[in-house]
Amino acid sequence: MAPHIFVISGPSGVGKSTILNKVMERVAGLGYTVSHTSRPPRNNEVDGKHYHFVSREEFRRMVEQGAFVEWAQVYDDYYGTSIKEVKEKLDRKLDVVMDIDPQGARNIRGHFKGSLLIYVLPPSLEELERRLKGRATDDKDVIESRLERALKEMESCAWYDFIVFNRELDDSVRKVESIILSERCRSSHQLPRVEEVFKIKVLEDGE
Ligand code: ADP
Ligand code: 5GP
């Protein structure tokens, strides 16, 4: 069966990584693509795990070499998903999970038909600010610029397949998990397996 591509987006600080970490613990067969970025690491971030941290020059060089399946400028830095990261997951027959911004999500949807896009929203702007401040990983001016961008960015949720309000963490984890599991059960995705297991040719729609 062809692997799925799951994209998750949402304003910085909404809880995407927190949700994804828990979903990845609970759902087997998922591979998270570690992005490249030119932004400096936060104090708790590990190179190769949270991001591949590179200089702006190195990032531009990779763009010129065609190393990215998608990349974008987000805030003042570059972020991109390398072809190598995606291919490695596909070769291992894993479903691919990406945490990328709406520009990247649009590009991925163009590249991989059938990819599924999930947008995570905060319960309110005030709560987003609380989470950004509570995370205590960014300077005051960085937090302000991210909050300023949040409302504009959230307009993109209109063209995503699913929207999840991240109020209670456990509830959001269950929702994202359910979306992934439901997508895996989609009949169009399962039919090749039905044919293989039962050695039958399934009827096309309307036959
Ligand atoms: P993102 O990856 O979207 O930038 P994070 O996962 O780093 O966001 O989460 C930002 C902060 O919000 C973290 O301190 C995290 O513990 C907290 N957080 C995430 N989800 C919730 C939630 N449902 N309720 C309260 N705090 C949350
Ligand atoms: P942060 O700096 O908070 O980790 O991420 C900032 C934004 O960049 C988030 O919206 C995140 O989804 C996005 N992002 C992270 N990696 C990528 C990527 O590889 N490509 C794109 N287009 N956006 C990314």
Side-chain angles (χ1 to χ4, degrees), residues 20-38:
L20 277 186
N21 282 339
K22 291 201 176 279
V23 168
M24 305 274 302
E25 278 171 18
R26 291 160 62 120
V27 180
L30 297 176
Y32 177 76
T33 53
V34 179
S35 297
H36 282 69
T37 183
S38 66

Side-chain angles (χ1 to χ4, degrees), residues 120-134:
V120 182
L121 285 171
S124 67
L125 213 52
E126 292 72 29
E127 175 61 16
L128 180 65
E129 184 170 0
R130 261 194 295 278
R131 287 184 194 170
L132 273 169
K133 288 183 175 161

Side-chain angles (χ1 to χ4, degrees), residues 8 10 12 16 35-36 39 42 45 51 70-72 74-75 79-81 99-101 104 135 146 153:
I8 189 158
S12 185
K16 299 177 297 293
S35 297
H36 282 69
R39 88 153 158 73
R42 296 177 182 134
E45 286 179 329
Y51 281 104
E70 67 76 32
W71 69 275
V74 189
Y75 312 113
Y79 293 80
T81 314
D99 169 351
I100 60 177
D101 89 315
R135 188 166 66 180
R146 288 178 177 223
E153 212 232 60

